[in-house]
Amino acid sequence: MTQTERHSFEAEVSRLLHLMVHSVYSNKDIFLRELISNAADACEKLRYLSIAEPQLAGEGGFAITLSADKDKKTLTVVDNGIGMSHDELKDNLGTIARSGTRAFLDGLADKAEGQALIGQFGVGFYSAFMVANRVRVVSRKAGSEEAWAWESDGAGTFELTPVELADAPARGTVVELFLNDDSLSYAEEHTLERIVHEYSAHVPVPIRFGSGEDARELADGSALWVKPKSAVTADEYKEFYHHVATAWDEPALTLHYRAEGRQEYNVLLFVPREKPFDLFDPSRKGRVKLYVRRVFITDEADILPAWLRFVRGVIDSEDLPLNMSREMLQKNPVLETIAKGVTGRVLSELSKLAETDADLFQKVWSSFGAVIKEGLYEAPERRDELFKVVRFKTTTSGDGWRSLTDVVKDFKENQTAIYYALGEDEKQVLASPHLEGYAARGLEVLILTDPVDAFWVRTALGFEGKPFKSVTQGEADLDNVKPLEADKAEKPGAEMAGLVAALKDALKDDVADVRPSVRLATSPVCLVASDFGLDRMTEKLVARQEGKAALGKPVLELNAGHSLIKALAAKAAAGDTAAVTAAAPLLFGQARILDGEAPSDPAAFAASVASLLEKSLT
């Protein structure tokens, strides 16, 4: 037979194993949960494959068997699932091939965070080294005439050795742990029974202790999602969430129901509290498992839309065929109906959560709000439902969040639109001069800082008959709303016409128009987009994508009440066009800086500022 092969672990695995062996966690029991979870997944995979190839599974069904020998200091976990080939043992147990590994390891290095992260990146197997000095895995892939052993002490290398079929399982995997002296309690039956009941009673594969006639059932493998809600405890829900979501936090929302009618299906879904590291990974898919009559089909079906990709759980259909191909999954009308119904139910439950537990909903929104808002753009038919769920930071919300219903309810007299400001972050938006006129009138403005905001807000017709209007686009329709201090409001004088004409001439290559502003209160100038086309922030995003400096010329607005603009207006009225011409690039450069951009000609702008300072000091 082939000789023993020795391999080194991937660098990240070596670091992980070091952390597992040398760190002390408050709850080491979770290693058994992870091994049982892996074993259950192996059985589920073979159960599905055996639909098309019954000979792979043979007779006898599926089971996970635990055995222990305290004298030999061993604990063994056996499954009769799909098993692993030589290459799969090498790849699955020698590398970590999932995104976010470094972030995971950085968190694991923190004792407080480590327990919450074990299992989240497909590294649950390595938790065995918290309790074992050595681990030996013997596996035979279903239908194969080869068996291999993987063995390691967790010190940086592992060995692969061929195994005689007589010494290997008929199919599946045997994981044997050689326990360290601090972990001998895990070789006791009552300890293992307690852990199984606490963490793994939900697994859809029977779990037994012992062998032959002495074997005793610890969990019957009944699917949690087909049980009535009244028969499931809060702890069982929590542990099933840990299993199906590979997470350690508590779910914010649990949806468990049975749909009956034209299609029948069971649903057990969870909304997490914490966002995973790979939430915005472009290759990331949803993690809802699809079953058909309790047979696992896939966890890659696009059941829920991408903007609900944080939801975890199981959907079990009574009507889909068991032999579903990937192509059938993409087009199946039954699955489409299920997806539509479940999506609506998730949104409905999120809306209820927002009403009944605002603090918990705020945690969910802080974690997943940016993802949910993708639905406003991608699923316009769902906008009315989504508008009941989405929350916004506004110029008056402080640290809290506001619903669109809240915003409309607090409209000022004669206000006709829902105002919004786009930006890269909240601080930048709040510093924008475009908000001054709105603040002076006590008008609330939505602060939109997520990338998708620039797109959905342009395609949404409005909310409750109120259109969305950007504060950086077109003329501000603020004349009908009284300022809070109306006596301080100042109308443009006749001399402004001369200044506007002079600046238009001086800046004709840079701006589309120059006009007095209603939106400014304290700043002298600002740039806005024209009435038609894109607002300023969207223009910048599109220009960046196309590799351009700008898409179109902006409009320069002037604050007629500002002392600088008044002085320049007086110069223009007196015929001093040279002063206005000299000031024009400075005003335009200042407006660009206030808009978060550099002057179009930084060197010329700096020279003009230096010249102006020199004149003022001599």
Side-chain angles (χ1 to χ4, degrees), residues 118-318:
I118 289 176
Q120 190 165 340
F121 282 83
V123 295
F125 167 78
Y126 301 113
S127 62
F129 286 95
M130 294 193 297
V131 300
N133 292 320
R134 184 162 54 94
V135 177
R136 186 171 190 263
V137 179
V138 177
S139 194
R140 179 180 178 183
K141 190 154 188 174
S144 172
E145 293 301 316
E146 287 187 356
W148 288 82
W150 178 102
E151 191 166 353
S152 177
D153 60 3
T157 61
F158 62 92
E159 293 180 349
L160 282 171
T161 307
V163 176
E164 297 286 349
L165 294 183
D167 299 324
R171 68 170 193 264
T173 302
V174 178
V175 180
E176 187 175 15
L177 280 66
F178 297 86
L179 300 170
N180 59 45
D181 291 338
D182 294 331
S183 304
L184 297 182
S185 62
Y186 294 114
E188 296 176 355
E189 182 176 351
H190 66 87
T191 300
L192 301 176
E193 183 174 10
R194 173 185 61 78
I195 296 172
V196 168
H197 286 170
E198 187 172 353
Y199 294 113
S200 302
H202 58 271
V203 171
V205 179
I207 302 174
R208 300 167 185 154
F209 182 85
S211 59
E213 294 182 358
D214 296 329
R216 187 164 63 87
E217 192 172 81
L218 302 182
D220 62 7
S222 59
L224 198 70
W225 57 87
V226 300
K227 294 181 179 180
K229 291 176 68 173
S230 58
V232 184
T233 67
D235 285 342
E236 286 176 322
Y237 278 133
K238 183 173 70 173
E239 288 312 318
F240 184 72
Y241 165 70
H242 293 164
H243 165 72
V244 78
T246 59
W248 195 253
D249 62 327
E250 291 193 22
L253 190 62
T254 301
L255 286 77
H256 186 190
Y257 66 95
R258 177 176 175 82
E260 297 179 327
R262 293 183 62 185
Q263 275 83 40
E264 294 187 6
Y265 53 93
N266 292 285
V267 175
L268 180 50
L269 298 177
F270 303 93
V271 175
R273 297 180 189 228
E274 307 293 336
K275 62 183 175 184
F277 295 115
D278 58 346
L279 184 62
F280 294 100
D281 185 338
S283 63
R284 188 180 192 277
K285 294 185 177 181
R287 303 280 171 75
V288 173
K289 296 177 180 289
L290 175 64
Y291 284 72
V292 174
R293 296 186 290 281
R294 290 188 56 190
V295 175
F296 173 70
I297 302 299
T298 181
D299 55 5
E300 294 186 356
D302 295 325
I303 304 174
L304 292 179
W307 44 272
L308 288 178
R309 58 184 175 271
F310 53 89
V311 176
R312 298 287 187 271
V314 167
I315 295 174
D316 189 350
S317 170
E318 295 291 329

Side-chain angles (χ1 to χ4, degrees), residues 438-504:
Y438 298 86
R441 291 162 175 80
L443 293 168
E444 186 172 19
V445 179
L446 307 183
I447 298 173
L448 305 182
T449 57
D450 293 314
V452 73
D453 288 327
F455 302 99
W456 75 259
V457 77
R458 285 186 52 77
T459 58
L461 296 177
F463 176 75
E464 293 186 357
K466 312 296 183 186
F468 293 100
K469 184 169 176 57
S470 171
V471 301
T472 65
Q473 182 176 19
E475 294 199 50
D477 54 347
L478 300 179
D479 288 334
N480 294 328
V481 182
K482 292 182 180 179
L484 298 177
E485 299 181 54
D487 57 315
K488 293 187 178 180
E490 190 166 344
K491 298 287 184 182
E495 66 276 7
M496 277 294 294
L499 177 60
V500 167
L503 288 175
K504 278 185 181 180

Side-chain angles (χ1 to χ4, degrees), residues 418-423 428-429 432-436 438 445-446 457-458 468-477 515 517 519 526-540 553-557 594-595:
I418 301 171
Y419 299 108
Y420 68 89
L422 292 164
Q428 178 206 52
V429 172
S432 171
H434 301 93
L435 297 176
E436 294 170 0
Y438 298 86
V445 179
L446 307 183
V457 77
R458 285 186 52 77
F468 293 100
K469 184 169 176 57
S470 171
V471 301
T472 65
Q473 182 176 19
E475 294 199 50
D477 54 347
R515 65 189 178 212
S517 179
R519 75 188 87 222
C526 72
L527 295 176
V528 300
S530 59
D531 295 275
F532 305 102
L534 306 176
D535 65 86
R536 289 289 293 158
M537 186 62 188
T538 311
E539 271 193 348
K540 293 177 189 177
K553 295 179 183 179
V555 175
L556 178 66
E557 290 196 347
L594 289 170
D595 208 32

Side-chain angles (χ1 to χ4, degrees), residues 30-65:
I30 58 172
F31 85 91
L32 186 57
R33 181 197 74 170
E34 295 301 321
L35 294 182
I36 290 174
S37 180
N38 291 344
D41 287 344
C43 291
E44 294 286 85
K45 289 175 182 176
L46 182 56
R47 198 199 305 265
Y48 174 61
L49 291 175
S50 64
I51 296 169
E53 301 177 73
Q55 72 279 7
L56 289 178
E59 304 292 334
F62 298 92
I64 299 168
T65 304

